[in-house]
Amino acid sequence: MPAGVGIGPGNGKAYPGNLTPFVTVTCIVAAMGGLIFGYDIGISGGVTTMAPFLQKFFPEVWDKKEANKSTNQYCQYDSETLTLFTSSLYLAALVASVAAATITRKLGRKLSMLFGGLLFFAGALVNGFAKAVWMLILGRILLGLGIGFANQSVPLYLSEMAPYRYRGSLNIGFQLSITVGILVANVLNFFFAKIKGGWGWRLSLGGAMVPALIITIGSLVLPDTPNSMIERGQAEEARTKLKKIRGVDDVEEEFKDLVAASDASKLVEHPWTNLLQRKYRPHLTMAVLIPFFQQFTGINVIMFYAPVLFNTIGFGDDASLMSAVITGIVNVVATMVSIYGVDKWGRRFLFLEGGVQMLICQAVVAACIGAKFGTSGNPGDLPKWYAIVVVLFICVYVAGFAWSWGPLGWLVPSEIFPLEIRSAAQSVNVAVNMIFTFLVAQVFLTMLCHMKFGLFLFFAFFVVVMSIFVYFFLPETKGIPIEEMNQVWKSHWYWSRFVEDHDYPNGDMEMSKGGLGPKNV
């Protein structure tokens, strides 16, 4: 599928190159790094509805749920130990993402992926053989360290390897593999929960070894990116690799820009403190706010706890696991829509359309749950049509997220950072993501208990705020070469005040003033 010579917005640079089978296969293998994150998100919510698992590790939750000590459905899973089991992983991922910045920059993207796979494998092993809560928590911490390394390196790898005209579609392969991981986990939970003897949860948790092996073996066979090779002093090898990746011999212009970017990055001794410079204010803002907003869409509430949530709103254990499978399928299909459209319709359009869709669904779900459960949390018998309506709107909500904030929350930060701060800024992005994933996971069940159906309105408020932010402050990055990306800030109505011409001497893209402001949706 030839890319030919593409033109970005304005009179920008366009590097020759094709979407070669080599780069396509490479990006598919690398994107498998998302499987470990997705599998974990799907598994943790599912095993916490399995009776044998709760009886063994969280008997107080089991007692509250089964002995009907509380008729308040909102509060039946409110347990600090149970939420610590789920959310301890994200603190570990936060620590790992900071360490991964140095490894990714100095030793290459591949090594970070390898560490991610090995640590995740170890965590899956410990969890599969867990005999006590401390073993579960230890396993979760090892899983988290693996996810921190993988989530830091894989999006960078994909953005650097892909031809700029197809960068969006190939990068979203990472999010697609997350959604596939969630779906596979939900399906396995559904069948493993039926195993007689009550040991199916061990297969669910131990099964994480499979995606861990995929990314571990994948990282050993993948080539390094030209950007990373140049950064580590392997310029000639990088030139040869770039010709192979692009499928053409005429790579001189792109190669020179990569070398120039690398030379500029070598002048930066402390990328972490460098991030605080005024000229990087737009990048730092996006590295913090995009992952923050991504978590406050409320999606992880649905995905972590989909079985728990459906169980809470009156579905049986089997039905709640099946409902989670349905939302998982919607997630995968909608992410494919994003792969198709991101380089055609642009990032801003998907962000804004997804925001509107999620907002409407959250309001409807809040109204449905509020009408039946009120503030007492005791719904009585739930009619079948009611359950179908709730699942339907949750599915439409998941679809809205899966073609907007889901993939773009990883894509946009990974493509906007200049090389000199790329590893550090991506670590900030992952760290912020994990901090707020941890906070949401840690307090969700308590918030559900106290805020009740208002929890959906709480997240709806943030969807409004993030959509306004995107409309006014996020420039369109579709079709712009990654090493030329800094020029989008110079032509933005707000961010242009933070950057000067001499800040980016290597970029000569001239974009039309106002072309990336709020009018260009």
Side-chain angles (χ1 to χ4, degrees):
M1 189 174 175
V5 177
I7 305 297
N11 299 313
K13 287 189 181 180
Y15 304 128
N18 303 305
L19 183 59
T20 60
F22 175 75
V23 86
T24 305
V25 171
T26 298
C27 287
I28 288 170
V29 173
M32 292 295 127
L35 279 177
I36 61 175
F37 192 28
Y39 186 86
D40 180 80
I41 290 171
I43 280 297
S44 23
V47 294
T48 52
T49 64
M50 293 183 189
F53 180 81
L54 288 176
Q55 286 170 315
K56 184 173 179 64
F57 297 107
F58 306 100
E60 76 283 0
V61 177
W62 170 255
D63 291 343
K64 193 191 292 188
K65 184 170 180 275
E66 290 302 309
N68 286 325
K69 288 178 183 172
S70 167
T71 56
N72 185 346
Q73 295 287 304
Y74 292 122
C75 297
Q76 63 176 355
Y77 287 96
D78 187 14
S79 159
E80 287 180 12
T81 321
L82 183 60
T83 49
L84 183 64
F85 160 71
T86 302
S87 55
S88 56
L89 177 146
Y90 300 98
L91 283 184
L94 160 65
V95 173
S97 66
V98 175
T102 305
I103 292 170
T104 303
R105 189 178 189 204
K106 299 210 167 152
L107 302 174
R109 284 60 168 146
K110 282 178 52 174
L111 201 62
S112 275
M113 288 188 227
L114 177 63
F115 284 166
L118 292 173
L119 287 163
F120 198 85
F121 184 87
L125 205 59
V126 172
N127 271 354
F129 289 103
K131 299 282 186 190
V133 172
W134 71 266
M135 286 184 75
L136 279 183
I137 305 293
L138 174 63
R140 296 287 290 169
I141 289 169
L142 289 168
L143 293 174
L145 293 172
I147 284 172
F149 274 100
N151 285 14
Q152 199 276 346
S153 51
V154 172
L156 285 189
Y157 184 94
L158 293 170
S159 281
E160 291 179 348
M161 192 63 83
Y164 72 91
R165 288 184 65 204
Y166 299 97
R167 187 178 60 244
S169 298
L170 290 173
N171 191 290
I172 290 175
F174 176 67
Q175 176 68 15
L176 179 64
S177 70
I178 291 177
T179 63
V180 169
I182 293 171
L183 175 60
V184 168
N186 287 335
V187 171
L188 291 179
N189 278 336
F190 182 73
F191 289 107
F192 290 160
K194 297 178 183 300
I195 291 177
K196 288 188 170 64
W199 50 275
W201 62 268
R202 291 195 184 277
L203 292 179
S204 287
L205 294 177
M209 289 187 281
V210 176
L213 281 173
I214 291 172
I215 185 59
T216 302
I217 294 167
S219 67
L220 294 172
V221 299
L222 287 173
D224 235 330
T225 68
N227 312 58
S228 179
M229 294 167 82
I230 292 168
E231 207 170 13
R232 289 178 290 126
Q234 302 167 7
E236 282 313 306
E237 295 97 317
R239 191 198 305 265
T240 307
K241 184 68 67 185
L242 190 61
K243 288 179 181 177
K244 185 175 183 184
I245 290 168
R246 298 292 176 249
V248 294
D249 289 330
D250 180 17
V251 295
E252 276 311 301
E253 187 177 17
E254 184 174 5
F255 179 73
K256 281 178 185 171
D257 283 347
L258 292 177
V259 170
S262 176
D263 290 343
S265 78
K266 286 184 177 124
L267 301 175
V268 178
E269 291 180 18
H270 307 290
W272 291 100
T273 51
N274 217 51
L275 264 174
L276 301 175
Q277 287 183 24
R278 180 179 170 84
K279 67 178 176 179
Y280 298 126
R281 195 73 46 80
H283 311 80
L284 186 59
T285 302
M286 297 301 163
V288 171
L289 286 184
I290 287 178
F292 167 79
F293 284 143
Q294 188 190 46
Q295 293 316 307
F296 275 80
T297 57
I299 188 64
N300 276 353
V301 171
I302 301 291
M303 286 306 172
F304 280 149
Y305 297 110
V308 173
L309 191 66
F310 287 130
N311 199 303
T312 297
I313 59 177
F315 293 64
D317 286 352
D318 245 15
S320 62
L321 285 171
M322 195 65 232
S323 302
V325 171
I326 292 167
T327 54
I329 292 169
V330 170
N331 203 7
V332 171
V333 173
T335 304
M336 290 177 177
V337 172
S338 188
I339 288 176
Y340 171 80
V342 67
D343 289 319
K344 290 183 172 67
W345 308 324
R347 282 66 161 154
R348 283 168 54 84
F349 172 80
L350 288 174
F351 266 131
L352 294 169
E353 191 283 331
V356 171
Q357 190 168 323
M358 287 189 292
L359 180 63
I360 293 168
C361 292
Q362 280 165 323
V364 172
V365 170
C368 285
I369 295 177
K372 278 288 176 186
F373 289 78
T375 53
S376 69
N378 189 3
D381 289 329
L382 291 172
K384 191 171 183 181
W385 67 263
Y386 170 86
I388 290 170
V389 167
V390 172
V391 171
L392 179 66
F393 274 95
I394 284 180
C395 285
V396 177
Y397 163 82
V398 168
F401 175 85
W403 59 54
S404 63
W405 281 91
L408 301 181
W410 293 107
L411 165 63
V412 173
S414 73
E415 68 183 0
I416 61 172
F417 304 134
L419 187 62
E420 65 268 20
I421 60 164
R422 192 170 293 157
S423 287
Q426 179 67 4
S427 287
V428 170
N429 179 47
V430 174
V432 171
N433 195 302
M434 294 305 154
I435 288 170
F436 287 103
T437 305
F438 169 78
L439 286 175
V440 170
Q442 191 66 29
V443 303
F444 161 66
L445 291 174
T446 305
M447 287 172 74
L448 180 63
C449 186
H450 293 286
M451 294 178 70
K452 304 175 172 61
F453 62 88
L455 182 61
F456 290 92
L457 299 178
F458 170 82
F459 287 117
F461 165 76
F462 280 99
V463 171
V464 172
V465 173
M466 65 186 73
S467 297
I468 292 170
F469 173 80
V470 166
Y471 185 77
F472 286 104
F473 296 106
L474 183 70
E476 181 57 71
T477 54
K478 177 186 77 170
I480 299 171
I482 194 167
E483 301 306 338
E484 296 297 314
M485 195 63 70
N486 282 317
Q487 296 300 312
V488 303
W489 310 113
K490 282 172 62 178
S491 56
H492 189 270
W493 72 276
Y494 178 77
W495 297 118
S496 56
R497 70 193 69 186
F498 293 98
V499 297
E500 306 291 340
D501 285 340
H502 58 77
D503 285 334
Y504 305 118
N506 296 316
D508 61 359
M509 287 180 73
E510 294 176 7
M511 301 194 190
S512 54
K513 278 279 183 186
L516 297 168
K519 291 180 183 175
N520 189 25
V521 180

